[in-house]
Amino acid sequence: SEFPFARCINYYAINDPILNVVPSAVKALKSGFSFGDGMQQEIVFLTSRTGDPVTDHGLLNPTYLEAIFWEGRRYQSIYLSPFGRVADSAFVAPLVSTGIFVSKFCKFSYETTKHLVVVVVAFFEWMRELLRNTLSFLLNKDNERYEPIKLSHPSSQ
């Protein structure tokens, strides 16, 4: 048995936009090899399940979810006691195997994240407007509008 967390695997969907900012993963994808540094590290490329790069990027969407399930089963087989496996198969597995729990959890996560992003963007827009109005009030005490001085060119006189 290996020491917990001594193994590091980086999963990437082959069309995930994150590959644009991870040069080592792009290098591995182009060379066709997985490689590591010092400790046991691997890069695993996953086939897209949806064909959409934005959807594939989501951790709880089909592309990465399959890898999460596989890693979960692997972890359980290595680190759970036989009693833990029996308890898991009796209580957790039936709930997850129906797919209802996972699909509802994924939908809930997606909707929550979507609403959170909308709120954060609205907050920053509100802050920008507040800052703009405050600066306008502080820097323009007489409520005059700044008009640049028009200089005439000497040759036009």
Side-chain angles (χ1 to χ4, degrees):
S1 158
E2 65 190 30
F3 183 75
F5 309 112
R7 179 174 154 267
C8 176
I9 296 185
N10 293 301
Y11 288 96
Y12 295 101
I14 57 172
N15 64 343
D16 192 325
I18 198 74
L19 288 173
N20 295 322
V21 294
V22 183
S24 61
V26 174
K27 182 179 176 185
L29 182 61
K30 288 181 180 176
S31 71
F33 294 102
S34 348
F35 56 92
D37 57 355
M39 61 186 266
Q40 184 182 357
Q41 178 181 356
E42 297 176 44
I43 297 176
V44 176
F45 295 101
L46 304 170
T47 303
S48 171
R49 299 289 185 252
T50 64
D52 177 25
V54 175
T55 304
D56 281 339
H57 180 70
L59 186 61
L60 296 176
N61 285 327
T63 302
Y64 288 110
L65 199 56
E66 186 176 333
I68 290 171
F69 281 151
W70 185 88
E71 285 292 340
R73 287 189 301 273
R74 181 184 177 282
Y75 181 87
Q76 289 171 345
S77 70
I78 294 173
Y79 300 109
L80 277 186
S81 67
F83 177 73
R85 287 188 209 128
V86 169
D88 180 58
S89 64
F91 300 107
V92 179
L95 182 63
V96 174
S97 68
T98 61
I100 295 170
F101 172 77
V102 174
S103 68
K104 285 187 178 186
F105 178 74
C106 291
K107 185 176 181 179
F108 169 77
S109 299
Y110 172 76
E111 291 297 325
T112 303
T113 304
K114 183 173 73 171
H115 291 299
L116 181 65
V117 168
V118 167
V119 167
V120 168
V121 168
F123 173 75
F124 280 113
E125 286 177 349
W126 178 79
M127 289 297 293
R128 187 182 119 241
E129 191 64 26
L130 178 68
L131 181 65
R132 190 173 70 82
N133 289 339
T134 303
L135 288 176
S136 175
F137 175 76
L138 291 175
L139 297 177
N140 200 2
K141 290 280 186 188
D142 301 329
N143 290 333
E144 296 176 5
R145 189 166 180 88
Y146 171 75
E147 293 290 333
I149 300 173
K150 295 181 181 172
L151 297 175
S152 59
H153 195 272
S155 63
S156 65
Q157 293 180 352

